[in-house]
């Protein structure tokens, strides 16, 4: 059995968010609230068949750049396809840029963002646990991510959208996905582009979003 139910992976090979420690602490607390233990690591060796076997959930928390070994990629794909669960948070959209499977999983790639600023999130699927805790229109400050292609074209199920009329610099128009999910064989994957600032991980609404994501991923 693995040393903890939830593996929180925070390795960065590019930009490193100051919010990573806050995010790891918040996600560990949410896991504990569900009766699960969590460990935080930056060691790529955690990604092996034995290292992932029995994990309830793997989280990529604002990971950037190439953070997995080739063997680690193989192990993570096998874990997910075999019934595992993967949560990718914020800058994890900018991880593993040359791994085709991860690009297919995300359904797109990170392309940048306008300056950090207040905006608004629109709930698209209020029945989904990751969206249910939020009001239909949620005022929020974050980095409003842009993508190299439209996520819907990648076959994802959109949960939340950004309201581009509420901030400056959006380019996708009325349909700007900001959180989505999908199944992969027997596994589950969810991505949220939100979570830039340390204080986000102390906000009750955002914590509700993350806790709902865990609820869905854990099935």
């Amino acid at each position: 059995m693995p040393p903890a139910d939830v593996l929180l992976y925070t390795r960065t090979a590019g930009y490193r968010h100051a919010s990573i420690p806050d995010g790891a602490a918040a996600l560990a607390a949410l896991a504990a609230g569900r009766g699960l233990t969590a460990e935080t690591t930056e060691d790529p060796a955690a990604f092996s068949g034995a290292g992932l076997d029995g994990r309830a959930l793997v989280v990529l928390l604002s990971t950037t750049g190439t953070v997995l070994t080739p063997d680690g990629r193989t192990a993570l794909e096998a874990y997910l396809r075999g019934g595992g669960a993967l949560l990718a948070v914020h800058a994890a959209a900018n991880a593993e840029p040359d791994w085709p499977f991860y690009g297919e999983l995300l359904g797109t790639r990170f392309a940048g963002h306008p300056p950090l600023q207040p905006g608004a999130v629109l709930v698209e699927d209020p029945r989904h646990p990751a969206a249910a805790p939020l009001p239909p229109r949620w005022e929020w400050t974050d980095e409003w991510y842009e993508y190299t292609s439209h996520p819907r074209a990648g076959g994802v199920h959109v949960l939340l959208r950004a309201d581009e009329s509420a901030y400056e610099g959006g380019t996708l128009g009325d349909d700007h996905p900001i959180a989505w999910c999908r199944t992969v064989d027997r596994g589950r994957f969810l991505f949220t582009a939100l979570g830039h600032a340390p204080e986000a991980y102390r906000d009750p609404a955002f914590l509700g979003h993350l806790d709902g994501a865990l609820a869905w991923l854990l099935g």
Side-chain angles (χ1 to χ4, degrees):
M1 291 295 293
D5 303 306
V6 178
L7 178 66
L8 301 170
Y9 193 53
T10 59
R11 187 178 180 86
T12 53
Y15 182 84
R16 186 170 183 86
H17 278 75
S19 59
I20 286 175
D22 302 81
L27 285 159
L30 292 173
R34 295 184 169 276
L36 302 174
T37 58
E39 64 171 315
T40 302
T41 186
E42 302 208 348
D43 184 0
F47 289 82
S48 67
L52 297 180
D53 184 43
R55 300 273 190 189
L57 175 68
V58 173
V59 181
L60 302 180
L61 177 57
S62 282
T63 45
T64 54
T66 299
V67 292
L68 297 174
T69 65
D71 286 347
R73 290 177 173 182
T74 299
L76 181 56
E77 180 176 351
Y79 163 80
L80 190 57
R81 291 188 183 280
L86 179 63
L87 172 62
V89 178
H90 195 55
N94 201 21
E96 296 298 307
D98 62 344
W99 183 19
F101 172 75
Y102 190 67
E104 293 164 10
L105 194 61
L106 278 171
T108 187
R109 294 285 189 174
F110 171 78
H113 57 78
L116 179 75
Q117 60 188 301
V121 173
L122 304 173
V123 170
E124 175 152 327
D125 182 0
R127 297 179 306 277
H128 193 282
L134 302 175
R137 187 178 192 276
W138 175 41
E139 305 290 334
W140 185 245
T141 296
D142 220 306
E143 292 177 332
W144 303 97
Y145 274 14
E146 297 282 327
Y147 317 109
T148 57
S149 60
H150 201 288
R152 278 191 216 275
V156 303
H157 176 67
V158 175
L159 307 175
L160 308 175
R161 289 178 288 115
D163 179 358
E164 288 195 359
S165 71
Y167 70 95
E168 298 294 327
T171 65
L172 289 178
D174 291 340
D175 185 18
H176 186 139
I178 210 77
W180 56 81
C181 64
R182 73 187 320 152
T183 56
V184 183
D185 292 344
R186 292 176 21 233
R188 291 186 172 196
F189 171 77
L190 190 147
F191 168 69
T192 179
L194 305 174
H196 169 76
E199 55 268 26
Y201 297 93
R202 294 183 287 277
D203 182 277
F206 184 61
L207 291 175
H209 168 53
L210 291 178
D211 191 51
L214 297 190
W216 181 79
L217 286 163
L218 296 167

